[in-house]
Amino acid sequence: MIQLKDINKNFGSIHAVKNLTADIHDGEVFGVIGTNGAGKSTLLRMIAGVLKPDSGEIFIDGEPVYENPETKKLVCFLPDTTWFLPNSTPEQMAAYYKIYYPDFDTARFLDLVAKLGLDKSRKLRTFSKGMKRQTAVILGICTGAKYLLCDEVFDGLDPAVRQAVKSLFAVEVMNRAFTPVIASHNLRELEDICDHVGLLHQGGMLFSENLEEVKLHVNKIQCVLTDPVKVEELLKELSVIKFEKRGSMIMIVARGTRHEILEAVNRKQPVFSEVLPLSLEEIFISETEVAGYDIKDLLL
């Protein structure tokens, strides 16, 4: 398990991560989402032991990670910008990784390279962005590391390869001790694969919850209420995250189960009503708007 206890990290006057506490449990796919500059990449670098928190503690399987080579061997970090040795080939990078990760599965790496249509002997500098990303991902998986930290892992991948990567992660989770931590702006892809999500905003954690629980307990209601008094009463009864009104049609995003919200609405005798589950993207927008990140009117 990865434990983050009251983590803080500053870069000069920029408070990149603020008082962040969270647990990442073994065997779950943990998604890190957040606004631009929320501290996602900084957080992954601290978990990997690349950066040292200014205060707070990070433990991996009960051991501190910073300047701890043995603990770092449990972790593989794939940054948002792929890096390879100058003029290296996939085959040469596999040999390089095996120096640090003795359990690196070279045979499986070469098999996956072939299945993805990558040339093991071709210079990586001649690869496209997506091909480089594919190579980095399978290098990370084949290290055998227990924790794979991925920053924008789906960036540059075509739909078929994105699906293949998600399938690889699922197979690893089923077959061995493996916990991927994925930071991404591609919420649609995370929604398909993540068991748990943590939402960062301005360096802090707005929530860290099981994804299915989040989706069950945040819902969107659309209804027609002609009586403004009943609208005000409904808003007071619900735990409202977002409210919009267009004529007699109102839209409310609220915390609560589908049954609870629909029951409250029906008591107001609406002309029409329906409760819709929210996508991860809609939850992200709603929660960050509550936190003050509302830029929808930027161009108006």
Side-chain angles (χ1 to χ4, degrees), residues 122-263:
R122 180 177 161 185
K123 300 293 185 184
L124 282 157
R125 60 181 171 79
T126 68
F127 278 20
S128 69
K129 179 180 179 180
M131 293 164 68
K132 289 177 181 177
R133 181 70 66 185
Q134 292 174 51
T135 305
V137 170
I138 57 178
L139 280 167
I141 287 174
C142 291
T143 60
K146 183 177 180 181
Y147 302 100
L148 184 63
L149 311 180
C150 307
D151 198 352
E152 298 297 346
V153 68
F154 301 111
D155 188 26
L157 300 182
D158 66 52
V161 174
R162 288 200 300 269
Q163 189 58 49
V165 168
K166 287 185 282 187
S167 297
L168 279 173
F169 285 164
V171 168
E172 293 299 302
V173 170
M174 287 190 294
N175 292 337
R176 68 179 179 92
F178 180 65
T179 302
V181 181
I182 307 171
S184 179
H185 288 105
N186 195 329
L187 304 189
R188 181 65 187 86
E189 301 297 343
L190 290 185
E191 191 169 11
D192 284 347
I193 191 173
C194 288
D195 304 301
H196 200 102
V197 290
L199 173 56
L200 299 186
H201 178 58
Q202 295 181 347
M205 186 80 78
L206 291 185
F207 68 74
S208 174
E209 298 180 26
N210 178 278
L211 181 55
E212 289 305 314
E213 287 295 314
V214 173
K215 293 169 74 173
L216 283 173
H217 290 88
V218 179
N219 287 276
K220 177 168 62 178
I221 179 75
Q222 294 184 116
C223 63
V224 175
L225 284 173
T226 56
D227 186 345
V229 174
K230 289 184 177 180
V231 173
E232 291 302 317
E233 290 175 352
L234 181 62
L235 293 177
K236 290 177 182 178
E237 292 175 15
L238 295 176
S239 178
V240 177
I241 298 174
K242 183 178 180 180
F243 168 71
E244 290 182 3
K245 188 174 189 298
R246 296 176 183 174
S248 57
M249 174 72 79
I250 65 172
M251 188 281 289
I252 298 173
V253 176
R255 292 186 177 88
T257 66
R258 184 183 188 279
H259 175 74
E260 291 167 343
I261 294 172
L262 195 55
E263 191 175 61

Side-chain angles (χ1 to χ4, degrees), residues 62-76:
E63 297 293 331
V65 64
Y66 190 74
E67 294 186 341
N68 186 341
E70 289 306 308
T71 300
K72 284 186 178 183
K73 287 182 180 179
L74 298 173
V75 181
C76 181

